Amino acid sequence: MTKNSTKGDRQRKQQSDNEEIKPGTSITEWIVAGISCLALLTVLGYLVLDGLSGRSGTAQLVVLPVEVTATNGVYVVEFVAENRAGKSVAAVEIKGELHDGDEVVAESRATLDYIPQESERKGALIFRSDPKAYDLRLFASGYSEP
Amino acid sequence: MGLGRAFAGALIFAVPVLMTMEAWALGFHLHPLRLALLLAVTVPMLVLLHKYGGFRQTMVLRDRIADAFVAILVAAVAAAAVLLIFGIVNGEMPLREVIGKIAVQVVPGSLGASLARAQLGPSPLEQEEVPEPAYAGELFLMVVGALFLSVNIAPTEEVVLIAYKMNPWQEIGLVVVTLALMHAFVYEFEFRGTHNPEPGAGFLSIFFRYAIVGYVLVMLVNLYILWTFGRTDGAGLSETLSAVVVLSFPGALGAAVARLIL
């Protein structure tokens, strides 16, 4: 114990002036504590607001194509799946169809592991025909709860 | 002796990550620049850590820098060897993937290598030489302690899955429990190696200056780790915060016992 305290004293002497005025609890330390306290209260405040706003019962999934790239004779349609509601979902099945009038010419599907609430995930669908020649429709066909 | 102990430390501390599937996957889907930044941050952290204990008695900055690089090399060699034996890494893989897989292991491994002396070596005789950390030092050790546990758990799918399952009230509960545990671990249970930094300091003083500051630092470290591993990409604020709170539970425990393990 005595060894420790002498070592502590030595350490304290090497510290800044603040430390010498009031050993142990310098102004800097209190500033750091204050900033941290504010940060923590902000986080808690956000969570309380989030909790009060309530998370809705169904997910609101919007799938939008981003880019179509032709490679090796196939067409890769990259998409962004956005979950606009306050509920996270898992195993989201994304379906893409190429329509020629009422007729479905081609379809393709992909599965996204998770789309958290108010977040987005990217993926791609692969078609053999050029999506630009047809009417491309992307939508989520189902999900499970995480 | 020192090198052998470093290898042992690297193996013991990297083994949970070495045997996690998601960590292998990080090898190819982790952004190369984020990986580079993580490795770059590891070096000064190890240099600073060696001030408080390393695998040999070093006090001079130059030696500590050398030790940091030795720790990283030891961790990389140990990880490469284990991943080769497991068949996770082989010669036919693209170099980019092999490097990624090994690099992910370097953070826990090099920490383990550095801590090997403190953990496994005969330290009491040398304790006289190790400087007692001041306030900033204590906070630094807490950050390393947090990193230590977080880096093992962050790659797993479970962190995000738990985050998705929790509602905001449960998250608030987790924050409160984590803070209480952190305070209790450090200053109430009186584990070996922990100490009351200022005898006579009141509950509030210690709670605010250590538990709260420590917890906020742990959250920042975890936010960084989650970002590095791509867990925050495309995630909304609520989801990111939720994952940070979940990962801060183990992180805070690591921070609280940092003085014990470091």
Side-chain angles (χ1 to χ4, degrees):
Chain A
M1 276 310 283
T2 46
K3 205 187 290 168
N4 266 345
S5 59
T6 50
K7 207 184 288 173
D9 289 344
R10 205 194 316 141
Q11 195 73 31
R12 239 164 248 139
K13 270 177 204 132
Q14 290 164 359
Q15 292 294 308
S16 61
D17 292 355
N18 282 341
E19 199 84 8
E20 275 172 25
I21 296 164
K22 202 181 173 192
T25 314
S26 70
I27 296 163
T28 330
E29 288 179 32
W30 279 118
I31 292 172
V32 172
I35 293 170
S36 298
C37 201
L38 272 180
L40 186 65
L41 287 176
T42 311
V43 168
L44 287 175
Y46 180 83
L47 289 175
V48 168
L49 285 179
D50 201 10
L52 289 177
S53 69
R55 291 182 181 179
S56 54
T58 49
Q60 213 183 313
L61 297 166
V62 179
V63 189
L64 297 167
V66 182
E67 207 184 354
V68 181
T69 327
T71 37
N72 301 327
V74 295
Y75 299 87
V76 179
V77 179
E78 287 180 303
F79 63 82
V80 168
E82 218 181 305
N83 180 3
R84 292 186 179 162
K87 181 193 174 150
S88 300
V89 289
V92 186
E93 178 126 311
I94 307 292
K95 242 176 124 179
E97 293 173 348
L98 295 184
H99 286 251
D100 188 6
D102 282 344
E103 194 193 346
V104 178
V105 181
E107 56 173 46
S108 178
R109 54 185 73 206
T111 309
L112 295 173
D113 288 346
Y114 295 105
I115 309 182
Q117 49 151 332
E118 280 152 16
S119 302
E120 56 178 46
R121 286 288 181 271
K122 288 179 185 144
L125 292 169
I126 298 168
F127 291 99
R128 294 197 171 275
S129 350
D130 187 357
K132 279 172 184 155
Y134 301 96
D135 176 17
L136 171 68
R137 291 183 197 171
L138 297 178
F139 53 92
S141 61
Y143 62 80
S144 71
E145 292 200 4
Chain B
M1 266 301 275
L3 219 60
R5 238 184 261 149
F7 264 106
L11 274 182
I12 291 169
F13 290 106
V15 111
V17 196
L18 278 169
M19 301 186 77
T20 303
M21 219 161 62
E22 291 90 333
W24 308 334
L26 280 175
F28 47 84
H29 70 65
L30 200 68
H31 194 287
L33 290 179
R34 295 187 195 182
L35 187 58
L37 184 64
L38 182 67
L39 290 178
V41 168
T42 308
V43 178
M45 190 188 67
L46 289 174
V47 172
L48 203 54
L49 182 64
H50 283 151
K51 196 172 163 185
Y52 304 110
F55 46 79
R56 68 188 162 116
Q57 199 54 58
T58 47
M59 301 305 292
V60 190
L61 181 66
R62 195 181 34 170
D63 290 343
R64 284 196 267 128
I65 292 172
D67 278 6
F69 283 106
V70 171
I72 286 176
L73 183 72
V74 163
V77 171
V82 172
L83 290 177
L84 265 174
I85 292 172
F86 285 169
I88 305 299
V89 159
N90 60 47
E92 287 150 35
M93 280 178 179
L95 189 64
R96 155 91 187 78
E97 187 182 345
V98 175
I99 290 178
K101 278 180 179 167
I102 294 170
V104 173
Q105 313 289 344
V106 162
V107 179
S110 58
L111 274 178
S114 299
L115 302 180
R117 193 210 57 139
Q119 279 275 46
L120 311 170
S123 64
L125 285 174
E126 299 161 355
Q127 219 153 42
E128 191 69 24
E129 308 291 323
V130 179
E132 195 71 12
Y135 183 59
E138 290 273 359
L139 294 184
F140 167 73
L141 287 181
M142 283 177 125
V143 164
V144 177
L147 193 66
F148 191 56
L149 276 191
S150 293
V151 121
N152 278 324
I153 296 168
T156 64
E157 194 83 26
E158 281 78 358
V159 174
V160 276
L161 184 57
I162 295 170
Y164 297 156
K165 282 185 173 289
M166 283 170 83
N167 66 43
W169 304 115
Q170 288 169 313
E171 282 158 23
I172 292 171
L174 184 60
V175 171
V176 173
V177 167
T178 309
L179 268 174
L181 279 176
M182 220 174 158
H183 184 79
F185 267 49
V186 186
Y187 298 104
E188 305 292 338
F189 295 165
E190 292 181 353
F191 285 137
R192 175 184 64 85
T194 62
H195 71 134
N196 194 330
E198 302 95 20
F203 162 83
L204 275 184
S205 165
I206 286 173
F207 183 71
F208 275 97
R209 289 183 305 118
Y210 287 87
I212 289 193
V213 175
Y215 186 68
V216 170
L217 287 175
V218 168
M219 286 176 88
L220 288 175
V221 168
N222 288 336
L223 180 62
Y224 171 67
I225 291 296
L226 287 168
W227 173 79
T228 302
F229 290 171
R231 295 290 195 200
T232 58
D233 297 1
L237 184 59
S238 297
E239 239 13 89
T240 305
L241 197 59
S242 180
V244 167
V245 167
V246 170
L247 191 58
S248 292
F249 178 61
L253 296 186
V257 297
R259 291 303 308 273
L260 262 184
I261 53 178
L262 304 182

